Amino acid sequence: MAWRWYVYQFGNKFVLLYPFYTLLFTKTGLSSAEITSLFVVWTLSSLLLEVPSGVLADVLSRRALLVIGPLLEAAGFALWIAVPSYASFALGFVLWGACGALQSGAIESLVYDGLRHYGAADRYVAISGRAHAVGTVTVLAAMVVASPVFAFGGYGVVGVASVAACLFTSVVALGFPDHRPEETEASENSLDQDKATAFDNSLGHGGEKAEASKDSLGHDQATAFDNSLGSGSEKTESSRDPLDHDGAGAFDNSLGRGGEQTETSRGFLEHGKGRADAPVDPHDDEAGVSEGVGEFLGTLRQGLDLVRGNGRLRHLVLYIAAVVAIWGGLEELVPLLAADSDIPERLIPLLAMGVNAGVALGGVLAGPAARLGQRWLAVGVAVAGGALALGVASGSPWGLVGVVAAFAVFSLAGLVAQARLQDAITGPARATVTSLAGLGTDAANIGVYLLYAAASQYGGDRGGFIGGGLVYVLIGAFAIGRLALTKRSAAQ
């Protein structure tokens, strides 16, 4: 499962159109105002679809959403190349935003529940960090490869390559095993019920049938156990090493059972629907739609109630929104910082690559960092914020080393917090809660850009980055204070 996520990230980020789509808009004749409005369309589509797509990931197959998302993105890129116009670009951004929304929440929940199914949830933070590192490095690789490909075939070849990358990503997603906690719980409940029934029968038939009842109990246990596994001894063998044998073990079993069969089984377990050969009621379709809408709204309500009623979850959602949104927004503005710091233009791409390398390093170090206490991570965020502010204020190229280091700390702090969010979520609304955190991050990102614009009016682009660093100092200090109060309250 881990390697499949890495490959999925590679395909998802290896889009050669990234460095050129703004130029494509300009070549088509769009004005700066029109191009800006396209980015607004992109942002709004992501925001509006973030939470609904998370709810869908809890109600429907997460694997299916991960397959569909890249197909939508591929359709958008194909539309841009085939029919370049403002309307096509706007629709393409809507499809791209829908792709990101379908993936957000679904991939984290699918991987976490899969690891939890095999008793390896503690590996999630390390795997998640490496997956994000793969994505960051892949973006850099795509930028390097894009230039010669563009020189060879122009927008057409770059666009076709981007569509191919999306299709590859969709195919990779077909191999994800989609384990649901409720399936495991239902199987366990079925096993317990079979045990209880067999035991009751043995008591009710007297001593002369005790031995037969004992054999019946053993048979019922074996049957329930086989049913709970879904594929008998073969899956038992494959589940011994699920992470290292993804393709040969859990993946094969998940495909062997079939998507339709899995969904049907879930329906029988959860809703107690009738036999397949039962007469068809003409009102079944209408009832099914009502039931689906009710399940959607119920899952959304459950996710919202979970965040509202759980102080730790609420704190993590807000913390993730602040930590991830700031560095995510500032990362896009690094070229402006370089230009404001008197760095030669030829070195600006190197600085941007250095920051991306810092973000990737943070992903790699997220696993070891998760073993640190919350207090040390909060201290790290505050220190990194100070390093960012001081490094930018120095105005020297050496000061930018502190900037790169700060981005590494911010990246790993965000990933560790996201992993702890997964640990704190209970119940079937995991993707919904994860999408709520994503919505908070997207909304905070807009606030970061507005605050940056205000700060840059007084201190230039360096002022915007210094302000971001000082906010991180405050976030770290607040987290340290909150942990101290929590510890004091627990002691009392």
Side-chain angles (χ1 to χ4, degrees):
M1 182 180 292
W3 283 103
R4 189 167 298 279
W5 192 5
Y6 304 155
V7 176
Y8 187 85
Q9 278 287 86
F10 172 81
N12 195 43
K13 298 297 183 181
F14 196 74
V15 177
L16 302 189
L17 263 176
Y18 280 158
F20 297 110
Y21 64 76
T22 304
L23 298 178
L24 175 62
F25 300 160
T26 303
K27 181 182 178 182
T28 306
L30 270 62
S31 65
S32 297
E34 289 174 321
I35 294 174
T36 302
S37 69
L38 289 176
F39 290 125
V40 173
V41 170
W42 190 13
T43 302
L44 288 177
S45 63
S46 298
L47 285 172
L48 294 175
L49 296 174
E50 178 71 40
V51 174
S53 65
V55 179
L56 286 177
D58 285 326
V59 174
L60 305 177
S61 167
R62 293 167 182 166
R63 177 174 54 207
L65 298 185
L66 295 177
V67 171
I68 294 171
L71 296 180
L72 297 179
E73 186 176 2
F77 291 155
L79 194 61
W80 286 2
I81 300 302
V83 192
S85 64
Y86 180 86
S88 297
F89 296 147
L91 180 56
F93 269 129
V94 171
L95 294 173
W96 197 353
C99 169
L102 290 176
Q103 293 170 327
S104 175
I107 184 67
E108 295 90 348
S109 301
L110 182 144
V111 173
Y112 187 88
D113 279 338
L115 294 173
R116 184 182 175 192
H117 179 81
Y118 295 114
D122 58 330
R123 293 189 58 185
Y124 174 80
V125 61
I127 293 173
S128 173
R130 287 194 289 268
H132 283 83
V134 168
T136 301
V137 173
T138 301
V139 171
L140 294 176
M143 290 182 177
V144 173
V145 174
S147 294
V149 172
F150 182 80
F152 172 77
Y155 292 106
V157 174
V158 168
V160 170
S162 299
V163 171
C166 295
L167 297 178
F168 168 79
T169 306
S170 184
V171 172
V172 170
L174 289 171
F176 276 119
D178 193 355
H179 297 289
R180 298 299 181 113
E182 59 266 27
E183 292 178 355
T184 303
E185 293 170 4
S187 298
E188 292 173 351
N189 292 337
S190 176
L191 175 59
D192 292 340
Q193 182 64 37
D194 286 340
K195 289 180 179 179
T197 301
F199 182 65
D200 290 341
N201 290 336
S202 69
L203 292 179
H205 288 83
E208 67 276 9
K209 296 187 178 180
E211 195 64 30
S213 298
K214 182 179 179 181
D215 292 339
S216 175
L217 173 59
H219 176 73
D220 286 341
Q221 289 178 348
T223 302
F225 179 67
D226 289 341
N227 290 337
S228 68
L229 289 180
S231 58
S233 59
E234 294 178 2
K235 184 165 183 178
T236 303
E237 188 66 27
S238 68
S239 63
R240 291 176 182 172
D241 196 2
L243 298 177
D244 294 336
H245 298 81
D246 175 40
F251 166 48
D252 287 343
N253 289 331
S254 68
L255 289 185
R257 288 193 302 272
E260 294 94 2
Q261 183 178 352
T262 302
E263 289 302 316
T264 303
S265 300
R266 288 183 58 210
F268 273 61
L269 287 172
E270 295 174 4
H271 305 296
K273 292 180 181 178
R275 292 167 42 190
D277 58 350
V280 177
D281 190 327
H283 299 291
D284 278 352
D285 289 342
E286 182 178 347
V289 172
S290 300
E291 183 180 359
V293 172
E295 186 176 5
F296 180 92
L297 295 178
T299 303
L300 175 60
R301 190 179 305 110
Q302 186 174 10
L304 292 171
D305 290 343
L306 191 60
V307 174
R308 282 197 298 259
N310 189 317
R312 184 177 179 225
L313 269 181
R314 190 166 57 250
H315 169 74
L316 283 169
V317 167
L318 295 175
Y319 182 81
I320 290 169
V323 171
V324 176
I326 295 175
W327 78 256
L330 293 180
E331 183 187 20
E332 301 293 333
L333 303 170
V334 166
L336 299 180
L337 170 65
D340 199 27
S341 301
D342 297 327
I343 294 178
E345 289 187 4
R346 67 179 184 278
L347 299 179
I348 291 179
L350 295 179
L351 175 60
M353 291 179 65
V355 169
N356 284 326
V359 172
L361 179 62
V364 173
L365 297 177
R371 292 192 287 270
L372 298 174
Q374 297 183 48
R375 182 171 179 272
W376 285 110
L377 285 173
V379 170
V381 168
V383 171
L388 174 62
L390 292 175
V392 172
S394 69
S396 69
W398 292 108
L400 297 178
V401 175
V403 174
V404 173
F407 272 89
V409 174
F410 300 150
S411 173
L412 72 85
L415 288 168
V416 171
Q418 289 168 340
R420 288 176 175 166
L421 176 71
Q422 296 299 324
D423 291 335
I425 299 172
T426 58
R430 180 176 302 280
T432 302
V433 175
T434 305
S435 291
L436 287 171
L439 176 63
T441 302
D442 291 340
N445 213 326
I446 297 175
V448 168
Y449 286 128
L450 293 176
L451 291 175
Y452 181 91
S456 63
Q457 294 297 316
Y458 298 96
D461 291 290
R462 290 166 61 187
F465 273 79
I466 291 172
L470 294 178
V471 172
Y472 272 118
V473 173
L474 294 176
I475 291 173
F478 177 81
I480 294 171
R482 184 179 181 276
L483 290 171
L485 289 175
T486 302
K487 185 177 181 180
R488 184 180 303 173
S489 298
Q492 293 175 353

